[in-house]
Amino acid sequence: MPYITLSEKLPGITGLLDYRKDTAQPIRELTQILLRGPSTLTEGERELIATVVSNGNGCAFCTAAHAAIADMLLDQPLAEQVCTDIQSAQVSDKMKALLTIARAVQQNGRNVTPEMVATAKAAGATEMELHDTVLIAALFSLYNRYVDGLASVTPSDPAFYQRLGVILKNKGYLPSENRYAEL
């Protein structure tokens, strides 16, 4: 049961963003830039970063939502692999290094070491990719605490996250008319 009154039709962060549209707008814009804007990382790779961080924070809603989107965008089920063991996941060495940095940020930003950064750079990560990985990790740590801190509803039906994934894949993160009509 959420700690504040939220729309029963909008679980997880969707209800929270609907509750305070004024604070939601800048958050949505930043998310759109980081996850859907121009980048040398694919949208699917950026969603994997969000998934790993959410999983590390124990946020079931965000983990399930972003795992669904990542797997859709990558056309293969990689989210569970990276959440289980980054080093054995079927992703590039660059992504392994960036996901390791994201996991460190999720725990504490000071956990990122010069060695982690050197490994990422040696694997081909650019400074922009390092920047965006850290910012995505920090942003999703905020989201995870927002969702869980207000006890937002977390659906247990995997089909819900598939429907949400399709919406976010096709519409991105900015608000739109009847955005969640298909939920």
Side-chain angles (χ1 to χ4, degrees), residues 86-134:
I86 292 169
Q87 296 310 312
S88 67
Q90 298 296 307
V91 296
S92 69
D93 288 341
K94 177 175 83 172
M95 275 311 297
K96 288 177 185 179
L98 292 174
L99 291 166
T100 299
I101 289 170
R103 179 68 53 82
V105 170
Q106 167 258 313
Q107 295 166 354
N108 182 324
R110 285 182 290 254
N111 287 351
V112 177
T113 65
E115 294 79 19
M116 288 176 185
V117 173
T119 298
K121 286 183 175 182
T126 66
E127 289 189 357
M128 182 71 79
E129 290 168 342
L130 287 163
H131 173 275
D132 289 357
T133 295
V134 170

Side-chain angles (χ1 to χ4, degrees), residues 52-166:
V52 163
V53 170
S54 297
N55 179 261
N57 283 324
C59 183
F61 180 88
C62 295
T63 300
H66 294 281
I69 302 162
D71 288 349
M72 282 179 211
L73 289 167
L74 294 167
D75 293 323
Q76 57 182 320
L78 289 174
E80 186 175 333
Q81 287 181 32
V82 298
C83 288
T84 302
D85 181 11
I86 292 169
Q87 296 310 312
S88 67
Q90 298 296 307
V91 296
S92 69
D93 288 341
K94 177 175 83 172
M95 275 311 297
K96 288 177 185 179
L98 292 174
L99 291 166
T100 299
I101 289 170
R103 179 68 53 82
V105 170
Q106 167 258 313
Q107 295 166 354
N108 182 324
R110 285 182 290 254
N111 287 351
V112 177
T113 65
E115 294 79 19
M116 288 176 185
V117 173
T119 298
K121 286 183 175 182
T126 66
E127 289 189 357
M128 182 71 79
E129 290 168 342
L130 287 163
H131 173 275
D132 289 357
T133 295
V134 170
L135 188 51
I136 291 167
L139 182 63
F140 274 84
S141 290
L142 174 145
Y143 284 157
N144 303 152
R145 287 158 180 80
Y146 186 34
V147 168
D148 290 341
L150 287 169
S152 187
V153 172
T154 300
S156 58
D157 181 7
F160 168 83
Y161 297 101
Q162 291 299 310
R163 291 189 305 272
L164 179 59
V166 168

Side-chain angles (χ1 to χ4, degrees), residues 158-181:
F160 168 83
Y161 297 101
Q162 291 299 310
R163 291 189 305 272
L164 179 59
V166 168
I167 292 167
L168 294 174
K169 177 185 173 203
N170 295 333
K171 295 183 179 181
Y173 290 92
L174 297 176
S176 61
E177 189 81 26
N178 297 319
R179 175 171 189 75
Y180 298 113

Side-chain angles (χ1 to χ4, degrees), residues 25-35 135 139 143:
Q25 186 62 29
I27 290 171
R28 286 180 181 273
E29 289 172 1
L30 181 57
T31 307
Q32 181 70 19
I33 291 167
L34 288 172
L35 298 186
L135 188 51
L139 182 63
Y143 284 157

